Amino acid sequence: MVPKVRKAVFPAAGLGTRFLPATKAQPKEMLPLVDKPLIQYGVEEAIRSGIQNIIIVTGRGKSAIEDHFDVSFELEHLLESRNKMETLAIVRDISDMINVAYVRQKEALGLGHAVLRARELVGREPLAVVLSDDVIYSEVPCLRQLLDVYEFFGASVLALMEVPSDNISAYGVVEAEPVSHNGEEDRVFRIRNLVEKPKPSEAPSNLAIIGRYVLTPEIFDSIEAIEPGSGGEIQLTDALKHLLCSRPIYGYRFQGTRYDAGDKLGFLKATVEFALRRKDLGGEFREYLKGLEL
Ligand code: G1P
């Protein structure tokens, strides 16, 4: 039996420059999709995948994230006194859901560097990494899909998605061979190489890494061993390439719809589609959209 994945790391120290001015005084992880902050979608995905221990890597100006997952006595008291029990349950659920720990990344030196900050809290255990910009809507949580592959192969697993070649330079891209698994030929891949943000002409395939990872603990040594790469940052993709020299790594083309909520257009699409799926809002919102003269 492979060791169970008990901890999920959420890098959340980025400056959110793509969303200025909204992110000047507010972390981008707290931007609401309909009525829930982005990071909560990722946290709920981890919980639904069986992971309750959440490690959030924060930076300056991120205290709203800590407050969000903490108890709010004043708010709970007010809701109770007004007999707003449904809203009270929603507010309580947020703090009851998880065991959360925070670690600071003093400088934004890259995704690999952020993950390395969690080393002490993770210890010598496998870990999940969730990038909350990538919001994934699926029947089986994306992280659960990855964990199933991890539990079978006992190796690190990355979420993969095909992206058009004109967008490929925004991603980590893999060279990979399909592996037959559970009667499917085109979901599981054995990774042979990885490149962070390649030029379209240098991309080894159209399979991009999406922000869900299940990693074995040797990744921390690999992060420590590498030099800064793309954008002068310590890249997780480069650490994975280093790890590949000594361990197998798999990729999984997950089932579900992914939204790039770190991008303005992606965020708008996610907002509209999540609102349309809501029982309490979807009907009226659909009618409103149909009535727009576009
Ligand atoms: C990060 C990773 C990249 C991955 C992407 C997925 O890039 O470095 O490999 O493909 O997330 O969203 P970022 O979007 O932070 O530039």
Side-chain angles (χ1 to χ4, degrees):
M1 270 259 292
V2 293
K4 194 170 159 30
V5 178
R6 303 185 312 129
K7 298 173 184 173
V9 175
F10 285 69
L15 298 175
T17 47
R18 285 199 283 173
F19 259 101
L20 283 168
T23 48
K24 188 179 170 200
Q26 182 192 209
K28 72 168 172 187
E29 294 77 13
M30 291 302 293
L31 294 175
L33 267 189
V34 187
D35 54 6
K36 226 191 288 181
L38 272 186
I39 191 165
Q40 195 176 333
Y41 287 87
V43 167
E44 289 181 3
E45 183 186 322
I47 294 167
R48 290 197 292 125
S49 303
I51 302 180
Q52 255 112 13
N53 297 295
I54 304 296
I55 299 166
I56 303 182
V57 184
T58 64
R60 255 185 302 280
K62 300 281 183 166
S63 55
I65 300 177
E66 296 178 33
D67 291 341
H68 182 71
F69 291 111
D70 200 356
V71 178
S72 173
F73 290 109
E74 301 88 334
L75 182 61
E76 290 191 14
H77 181 73
L78 182 89
L79 293 169
E80 212 162 357
S81 67
R82 293 191 182 163
N83 209 21
K84 302 241 186 234
M85 301 320 266
E86 253 177 57
T87 318
L88 178 64
I90 291 171
V91 168
R92 273 210 182 124
D93 271 358
I94 301 165
S95 49
D96 285 351
M97 254 174 348
I98 49 169
N99 287 323
V100 60
Y102 298 92
V103 59
R104 294 278 279 213
Q105 184 189 16
K106 287 185 208 138
E107 287 172 279
L109 296 179
L111 180 57
H113 182 261
V115 172
L116 186 59
R117 300 273 72 69
R119 182 174 202 161
E120 289 300 313
L121 289 171
V122 172
R124 292 211 59 79
E125 290 187 30
L127 64 146
V129 174
V130 176
L131 308 187
S132 48
D133 276 5
D134 285 325
V135 177
I136 299 171
Y137 177 81
S138 58
E139 209 169 292
V140 177
C142 179
L143 197 52
R144 184 64 254 166
Q145 298 178 38
L146 261 53
L147 287 165
D148 289 342
V149 179
Y150 160 78
E151 282 164 13
F152 186 87
F153 291 99
S156 297
V157 186
L158 323 175
L160 298 179
M161 187 178 110
E162 281 169 1
V163 304
S165 64
D166 43 343
N167 285 343
I168 202 81
S169 303
Y171 296 92
V173 183
V174 300
E175 183 185 329
E177 282 162 24
V179 174
S180 161
H181 179 64
N182 276 349
E184 289 182 312
E185 307 295 327
D186 60 349
R187 292 243 167 240
V188 176
F189 290 82
R190 177 93 187 245
I191 308 290
R192 295 295 177 201
N193 193 14
L194 309 95
V195 193
E196 179 68 9
K197 305 208 165 72
K199 289 187 195 131
S201 60
E202 285 161 19
S205 75
N206 62 348
L207 280 174
I209 305 170
I210 299 303
R212 301 290 183 280
Y213 309 73
V214 175
L215 303 171
T216 55
E218 302 80 30
I219 191 67
F220 293 120
D221 289 336
S222 289
I223 300 172
E224 280 193 332
I226 58 166
E227 298 292 326
S230 164
E233 297 187 338
I234 302 286
Q235 297 292 351
L236 186 57
T237 304
D238 295 343
L240 287 162
K241 185 172 172 158
H242 181 274
L243 183 64
L244 199 55
C245 300
S246 55
R247 308 269 159 166
I249 300 177
Y250 290 84
Y252 188 66
R253 208 168 55 75
F254 60 93
Q255 282 169 304
T257 307
R258 172 260 186 179
Y259 302 90
D260 179 6
D263 167 77
K264 283 180 195 167
L265 188 59
F267 188 87
L268 287 171
K269 289 179 186 170
T271 302
V272 171
E273 293 188 28
F274 275 88
L276 286 172
R277 288 189 193 105
R278 284 272 293 255
K279 285 199 184 72
D280 56 341
L281 294 167
E284 266 186 72
F285 189 47
R286 185 177 306 273
E287 288 314 307
Y288 163 74
L289 290 176
K290 278 187 190 159
L292 288 179
E293 278 178 34
L294 299 173

